[in-house]
Amino acid sequence: MTDVAKLDLGDKKIDLPIITGSEGEKGLDISALRKETGYITLDNGFVNTGSCKSAITFLDGEKGILRYRGYPIEQLAEKSSFLEVSYLLKFGELPSKKDLDFFEEKITSFATLPEGITNMLDQFPKDAHPMAVMSATTAALAGFYPEFLKTPLTDVQRDRAFAQMLAQLKIIAAYFYRRSQGKEPRRSHPSLGFSKDFLNMMFFEEGKEIDDEVAKALDILFILHADHEQNCSASTVRVIGSSQANVFATISGGIDALWGPLHGGANQKVLEMLEEIQAAGGDYKKFLEKAKDKNDSFRLMGFGHRVYKNFDPRATIIKKQCDIILEKLNIQDPLLDIARGLETEARNDDYFVSRNLYPNVDFYSGIIYKALGIPTEMFTVMFVLGRLPGWLAQWKEMREDASSKIARPRQIYTGANERNYTPFSER
Ligand code: ACO
């Protein structure tokens, strides 16, 4: 089979090499297109554009497949832990017990925040959106660790950035939550394990222990969110990182991209939507009609995905976890009934079926977070904590690739042609 595609532009012809990925997916290498023909490509929303080669995550949206470093998400969710998955994303292989212990010890060594950062956290209004707090404080860490401003970073520094951010961002999130509740922040005890330590910092009460099964459920949620190849926030991380901006600024940009309601912000919006339906008497069919109405900007939050056009494998696992957690905590949540009703109705409705709109990762995660006592405004923060190792792995892969270039897309200009400046008196 030919390994080039031939593009005929009349007076200009070019052979475009065909690139084949390890799962057989095909792409056209257009690196020489502009230089040789003067043409660029136009691809709104990068729907057809591969921005890089990557060995971290594979997903097949048609078949509902998601694998980190080759391992199916279902197996990792069942058998692994969030820190082991973080190691896997970073290094490409599952760790030996000794390697994992060493990795965890490294994270443990960053169990505190600089005093300047806690002072900064104390200054935010109690009702500040926690994503604003996460983004600003993550960027501010660069002011406290100037050694990370030098470029290029050494391997040791890159390792340290990975461990330090995994440890410190969860402390920032829990610290601000306690402050917003008028409670004294709690110290991190990383020996509890990532998720239990986080829940302990959030919800510590004298004489009450965080349940292991609950911590495990949160760990699974973090695993499911850990990476998703070149989505909006990971691409943002790569674009910012491509300028060799420092790692804190780079991840802060990823947090901002995730915040949007069409991306990670959807989990907060799903719960708000379910509450709105509940307040309106629970008539979810009315909301389905709104979502279908092209004159109404309302969308069914937690439904649809740019890549998954069959089902989102993460949603399947989360739905199961949702049942387990609600039963374990003995919670009857009417919002869950509304969610189930919406799903069943939508999956039998031609509008949603014909457009391949299925529940995505955000549809049921909010109900679990709510059951765990996480406030709605913090749902996207939970996504940040889960996605962090993925962003860091994407950043590391890019910075270690000698062929990577600063991201600088082109455009097709559609504005005014050259014209002369006119003084105020003539306007
Ligand atoms: N409710 C109603 N209609 C929808 C929805 C929805 N949730 N999602 C897509 N559609 C419709 C669109 O109106 C469009 O219809 P048309 O062909 O008649 O014009 C068609 O389905 C295709 O939608 P696009 O917006 O072109 O699909 P795209 O791939 O660009 O968007 C997205 C994907 C942003 C996720 C979209 O489905 C959406 O807005 N979903 C709701 C928000 C959400 O849940 N986001 C979280 C995604 S997962 C994540 O980021 C972690």
Side-chain angles (χ1 to χ4, degrees), residues 209-222:
E209 250 232 70
I210 302 295
D211 185 284
D212 281 337
E213 255 188 273
V214 169
K216 177 70 195 154
L218 182 59
D219 219 58
I220 292 174
L221 280 185
F222 285 149

Side-chain angles (χ1 to χ4, degrees), residues 295-352:
N295 297 316
D296 192 324
S297 62
F298 175 80
R299 281 193 165 196
L300 201 54
M301 299 312 288
F303 257 73
H305 198 275
R306 167 59 61 79
V307 182
Y308 292 120
K309 299 299 178 196
N310 184 334
F311 66 95
D312 181 339
R314 302 167 301 174
T316 312
I317 302 170
I318 287 184
K319 192 176 173 187
K320 206 167 124 203
Q321 279 301 316
C322 191
D323 289 339
I324 294 171
I325 282 298
L326 262 57
E327 197 186 321
K328 163 88 195 165
L329 298 175
N330 199 16
I331 293 175
Q332 319 285 328
D333 192 339
L335 295 187
L336 185 59
D337 297 332
I338 294 175
R340 284 189 184 125
L342 262 182
E343 183 186 351
T344 310
E345 201 69 30
R347 292 182 76 159
N348 287 307
D349 187 304
D350 185 56
Y351 175 93
F352 293 91

